[in-house]
Amino acid sequence: MARRWQRKRESGLSIFGCGVLGALLFGVVLAARPSAALDCMSLPFGPITVTPGDNSTGIVTSYDISTTVPLLDGCDVTTLTEITVLLPEDSLVSATASGTINGTPIAAFTTRSGAQASFRSPVPIAANGALAIHLNLITSASAQGAKTLTVSALDTRDGGPIGATTSLPFLLLTPTAGPTATVTPTRTLTATRTNTLPAASTPTDTVPPTATGTPTSTDTPLPTATMVPTSTFTPTPGLCTANANNPCVPGKGAQALDCGMEWLPSPVPVRDRHGVPKTRLICYEGDPTCDADPNLNDGVCELRTQLCINNHDPRLPRCQATDVTSFEVKSPRPSHPRDNADLADINAMEMAMGAGGLGVTINRGGMSIFTGATNNTPNACTGEISLPIAMKHSATGVLRRRSVRLRTQAISSSGLKDTDVLSLQCRPSTCGDGIVQGDHEQCDDHNRINGDGCDQGCHIELAPTRTPTLAGPSMTPTVTLTPTITPTATITFTPGPATATPSVTATATITSTPGAARCGNGAIDSGEDCDDGGICIGGSNAGTHCTDESQCVGNGICIDGTSIGTACASDTDCPGSTCVHCRAFGGDGCASNCTQETDVPYNLVAGNANSPATTSTARAHGSSLDLTLPLRGSEVLTIGKARDGMIPIVVKASSITLPAIKISTLACACVRGAAVQTCGGTLFEIDGSPARDCTLNDDCAAMSKPPCTYLHGEGNAAAGVIGCNGLSPIDFTYSQDAGGTPPPPAPTPPAGSGGPMIVFTGTGGPGAALILNTLKVGTAQPPAPSTNPCRANSPAYGPDQNFCTDDDPESSRGTATTLPAVTGTATGVVTDRNGSPQTLGPDSRTGTPFNCAALTSASPSASGTQLVGAFTSLNQPTLGDLVVTDGLVAQ
């Protein structure tokens, strides 16, 4: 039987208010210019391969260039598209007078200057179509080695370009007239170098066994810059060889070269939409997860990384690593370090790759300062090195954030160069000010003391020492817990006066009381892989660790059914479900059903307005428009094993990677996952009103509400379940009453209108899923219309002036919104519009269930799954009432 799930309006967490998305994401699109044939938002071409007719240097030959047009509606190449090819430096195209695109002759060249040639496409090419360019009479570059070229495209009308895309490397060789002599050099090296950094020890170079003699170098670009091995690293193999959850950072070089050297920072940076860690790591001083410096107030973050070479990285299938023969730090510049911290970073990297570690030759400014040997060990990593980042000090002594961009180059014996970057940023700590900063803090108890439940970096300590208060005069028991906590305990009270202190000792046993076995009791029972206990939800001690229902005081939460996410006092409040007080969460390696977790990529099939039902798209339907918006990006599903036919699922906020959405020339939108916290950790309070969002401002106690607690579990933006034998409910209708009167000026809600209402119904077959997702949709507008509205010098864009990056201010990130996503049918409808019984909709979209066999296989896959959703938005500017449906299709 269907049950209405009506929610009242309340300030705070916008559970079902998607007006921001409707008005700014869709409304601005409507107001944009007429669509041009090419509006590709600077997306790149597909992988580009280059084949010279003759790969000799300095000769006149032909070039064949093959790639694909980006897979996005609006990226089509037309006969009004101008394509530009920029060849390697000192190539010449001045004699180029002919060529073809997909076999059709190029009519004319608009530019032939130096190494650049531009020309109109003679044929149209659809999105994702093959593009083959043939150019004649090109004079190749004069220097041998690996080369690349770039290809870009721009519509001659007003339109977004296809971004400049660098090709895979191709090789040019100097013609040889005879056999090449083999020279075996004798290396004699002697280096006496001193380090003037604090606490430096007297140097003693350690030369790899393959080098003979004592190394010498007279190169002293910085007298204080020394290459003194303070430790000898033992290479660590195989850290960059994983396909999923690979922790290594390729460094944004050419993909065909990126496996030559990769970074392995600790912690692993946030991942991009492809699941690859980004090249930026932010650390707040004193945060133990990233700052190895024990001093909390010296203005320095000590970040850590390893350097790994010759990697067989499955994420880079075109890269075939062979060896590394030399290494150079390009930035910070060894000749101009900004401070001793820069100098220490340079020395640490050079030492790890050279005399104190992997033993390759170290260069500075084109000169060798340590001559080592070629290292061809596969998947070799240095030991962990520390890289201090010193913050800026203002004239008044206030600390300011500081970034250091590490840029290095590793060169193979064949001359291939892998250039890699990694940006490290140190920020002043905000821990201890009593305000929880949601993007990097989980708690803030006004101090930076470890052991009190909130550590020095303001992260929750999962197992603090607890001193519960028992009823009775001055009875404060001492609790001693063994590492394994089980449901049974022996409690011994020491006889004495009224002020006696009882002793409570938990007894650890493998067997539990019959009938007491359950996930979340802290003991690994039959059928379980793990059990790290649960978290109290809904009541007055929400957020505390628990191993039994009796440890949680007050309300619980309906874990599924038609009242999913609602606070409850008993099972009676949860039709078709259970009221749980001590709830297990996933996302930490142990799923909510106490099985080992696996990460499954959910890469979206890029949206295509011509195939809206089978690609990732959103449809905005209003009285004056019907608009389809293509979607793209990825996330990672973290799933447990199937137990009783059910697979639990969470999505970590950091795994949701959706690129910035350029809305014409007027605005930019960004969709982020949100690990939201509410008062009590429920979605709704027991009376049906939305629970208060306390993620950025914990005022729960002041509002006489339960403690601030994660909604989906720490770090998670979504949680739900997949029913391999079926699931109920699986369909929902999202409806809203417009009030029946003519609306006031937008965006004021019409008089008499009601809040959104969801009705869950239906039963799904095998693979059906119901997930609650929490997202933030933020928007920013440049000071004036721009061809790239996602970049501007405006506070909303953050210091890097790019929207949808980690430094965006909280004020431009939008409000957390939680909505269902199902594999059944999602329907949206607006009733009683404009003073009459008019109805907008109903609009529906039907999803596709998971394949449980594929999902739980040795190579887990969500391919073919479609999760769908729906919502409404009333009285938006220009658009009026809206019904929005969306579907995310997995590749």
Side-chain angles (χ1 to χ4, degrees), residues 648-665:
I649 179 173
V650 297
V651 178
K652 298 172 186 176
S654 60
S655 81
I656 299 175
T657 307
L658 302 175
I661 302 171
K662 188 164 64 172
I663 307 170
S664 181
T665 62

Side-chain angles (χ1 to χ4, degrees), residues 317-397:
R318 297 182 184 86
C319 186
Q320 302 298 320
T322 55
D323 56 47
V324 172
T325 189
S326 64
F327 174 83
E328 183 169 359
V329 177
K330 298 287 189 178
S331 177
R333 293 173 60 189
S335 58
H336 295 88
R338 297 178 297 181
D339 51 25
N340 279 348
D342 271 4
L343 190 58
D345 295 344
I346 296 165
N347 282 335
M349 289 185 286
E350 290 179 341
M351 189 57 53
M353 290 292 291
L358 299 181
V360 305
T361 295
I362 304 300
N363 295 328
R364 282 192 184 179
M367 300 177 61
S368 173
I369 64 170
F370 168 73
T371 303
T374 297
N375 190 324
N376 60 6
T377 305
N379 308 306
C381 295
T382 69
E384 193 171 70
I385 61 174
S386 293
L387 302 173
I389 310 297
M391 283 184 281
K392 300 176 183 178
H393 291 258
S394 70
T396 58

Side-chain angles (χ1 to χ4, degrees), residues 64 407 441 542:
D64 286 295
R407 182 170 172 265
E441 294 180 352

Side-chain angles (χ1 to χ4, degrees), residues 40-399:
C40 204
M41 303 185 294
S42 296
L43 289 179
F45 284 101
I48 300 175
T49 58
V50 181
T51 306
D54 187 323
N55 69 340
S56 299
T57 58
I59 68 166
V60 178
T61 186
S62 62
Y63 273 62
D64 286 295
I65 304 165
S66 299
T67 183
T68 56
V69 176
L71 177 58
L72 181 67
D73 186 49
C75 288
D76 312 58
V77 170
T78 74
T79 54
L80 296 175
T81 300
E82 184 171 285
I83 298 173
T84 297
V85 177
L86 181 62
L87 288 112
E89 187 176 359
D90 83 352
S91 302
L92 292 176
V93 299
S94 55
T96 302
S98 64
T100 62
I101 291 183
N102 290 2
T104 302
I106 297 170
F109 287 80
T110 54
T111 302
R112 286 181 297 167
S113 175
Q116 178 174 315
S118 300
F119 41 87
R120 294 269 187 96
S121 175
V123 291
I125 305 171
N128 201 39
L131 172 63
I133 303 172
H134 177 83
L135 298 176
N136 294 314
L137 301 178
I138 291 176
T139 303
S140 294
S142 58
Q144 73 170 7
K147 307 292 182 181
T148 61
L149 55 75
T150 62
V151 181
S152 59
L154 180 68
D155 198 276
T156 54
R157 300 170 294 175
D158 181 20
I162 301 177
T165 309
T166 302
S167 72
L168 299 171
F170 59 96
L171 195 63
L172 294 182
L173 298 173
T174 301
T176 56
T180 303
T182 301
V183 179
T184 304
T186 301
R187 288 170 284 130
T188 303
L189 309 168
T190 307
T192 303
R193 310 179 65 207
T194 59
N195 194 331
T196 60
L197 291 176
S201 59
T202 303
T204 303
D205 276 358
T206 302
V207 181
T210 53
T212 61
T214 307
T216 285
S217 174
T218 57
D219 174 45
T220 53
L222 279 171
T224 58
T226 68
M227 197 157 141
V228 181
T230 56
S231 63
T232 300
F233 297 119
T234 301
T236 305
L239 297 177
C240 302
T241 58
N243 197 359
N245 291 326
N246 192 322
C248 294
V249 180
K252 286 192 174 179
Q255 285 198 0
L257 301 173
D258 255 356
C259 63
M261 195 212 86
E262 298 182 56
W263 308 95
L264 179 52
S266 178
V268 178
V270 173
R271 297 178 185 269
D272 65 15
R273 64 190 178 92
H274 301 294
V276 179
K278 295 183 178 180
T279 58
R280 187 183 188 197
L281 181 61
I282 297 174
C283 183
Y284 289 82
E285 184 185 14
D287 183 343
T289 63
C290 58
D291 186 1
D293 180 7
N295 191 327
L296 303 184
N297 300 293
D298 61 354
V300 176
C301 299
E302 193 172 304
L303 284 80
R304 295 153 292 176
T305 191
Q306 293 174 260
L307 293 83
C308 300
I309 64 172
N310 306 327
N311 301 307
H312 296 167
D313 191 332
R315 303 169 303 176
L316 304 169
R318 297 182 184 86
C319 186
Q320 302 298 320
T322 55
D323 56 47
V324 172
T325 189
S326 64
F327 174 83
E328 183 169 359
V329 177
K330 298 287 189 178
S331 177
R333 293 173 60 189
S335 58
H336 295 88
R338 297 178 297 181
D339 51 25
N340 279 348
D342 271 4
L343 190 58
D345 295 344
I346 296 165
N347 282 335
M349 289 185 286
E350 290 179 341
M351 189 57 53
M353 290 292 291
L358 299 181
V360 305
T361 295
I362 304 300
N363 295 328
R364 282 192 184 179
M367 300 177 61
S368 173
I369 64 170
F370 168 73
T371 303
T374 297
N375 190 324
N376 60 6
T377 305
N379 308 306
C381 295
T382 69
E384 193 171 70
I385 61 174
S386 293
L387 302 173
I389 310 297
M391 283 184 281
K392 300 176 183 178
H393 291 258
S394 70
T396 58
V398 176
L399 292 175

Side-chain angles (χ1 to χ4, degrees), residues 364-544:
R364 282 192 184 179
M367 300 177 61
S368 173
I369 64 170
F370 168 73
T371 303
T374 297
N375 190 324
N376 60 6
T377 305
N379 308 306
C381 295
T382 69
E384 193 171 70
I385 61 174
S386 293
L387 302 173
I389 310 297
M391 283 184 281
K392 300 176 183 178
H393 291 258
S394 70
T396 58
V398 176
L399 292 175
R400 306 289 187 193
R401 69 176 63 176
R402 186 174 192 176
S403 296
V404 172
R405 185 173 185 266
L406 308 179
R407 182 170 172 265
T408 64
Q409 188 174 82
I411 303 177
S412 71
S413 58
S414 62
L416 299 178
K417 299 177 181 179
D418 181 10
T419 301
D420 298 286
V421 297
L422 180 67
S423 295
L424 305 176
Q425 186 176 101
C426 181
R427 295 183 178 182
S429 176
T430 58
C431 185
D433 62 5
I435 301 173
V436 178
Q437 307 294 330
D439 61 333
H440 64 279
E441 294 180 352
Q442 300 168 347
C443 54
D444 198 315
D445 54 358
H446 297 276
N447 66 62
R448 303 185 71 187
I449 300 172
N450 295 322
D452 61 355
C454 186
D455 70 15
Q456 67 186 43
C458 283
H459 297 286
I460 295 173
E461 295 171 307
L462 295 181
T465 301
R466 292 170 291 170
T467 307
T469 302
L470 301 183
S474 304
M475 296 181 67
T476 306
T478 301
V479 181
T480 304
L481 299 178
T482 59
T484 302
I485 304 173
T486 62
T488 61
T490 301
I491 304 177
T492 304
F493 286 89
T494 303
T499 57
T501 302
S503 174
V504 181
T505 304
T507 303
T509 61
I510 298 301
T511 58
S512 57
T513 303
R518 66 174 186 85
C519 182
N521 67 3
I524 301 177
D525 299 308
S526 176
E528 296 180 349
D529 300 325
C530 54
D531 193 324
D532 49 12
I535 300 293
C536 291
I537 296 293
S540 58
N541 66 338
T544 60

Side-chain angles (χ1 to χ4, degrees), residues 689-788:
S689 60
R692 188 172 185 81
D693 185 354
C694 57
T695 309
L696 301 178
N697 180 24
D698 184 0
D699 58 357
C700 298
M703 301 289 292
S704 299
K705 295 181 179 294
C708 193
T709 306
Y710 282 101
L711 177 62
H712 306 297
E714 183 178 351
N716 299 330
V721 66
I722 302 167
C724 291
N725 299 325
L727 187 68
S728 178
I730 197 58
D731 308 318
F732 73 90
T733 298
Y734 187 113
S735 62
Q736 194 165 10
D737 188 335
T741 59
T748 304
S753 62
M757 184 166 56
I758 287 184
V759 177
F760 281 103
T761 58
T763 298
L770 169 61
I771 302 171
L772 293 181
N773 293 288
T774 303
L775 300 173
K776 287 187 175 182
V777 181
T779 57
Q781 293 178 281
S786 169
T787 56
N788 185 6

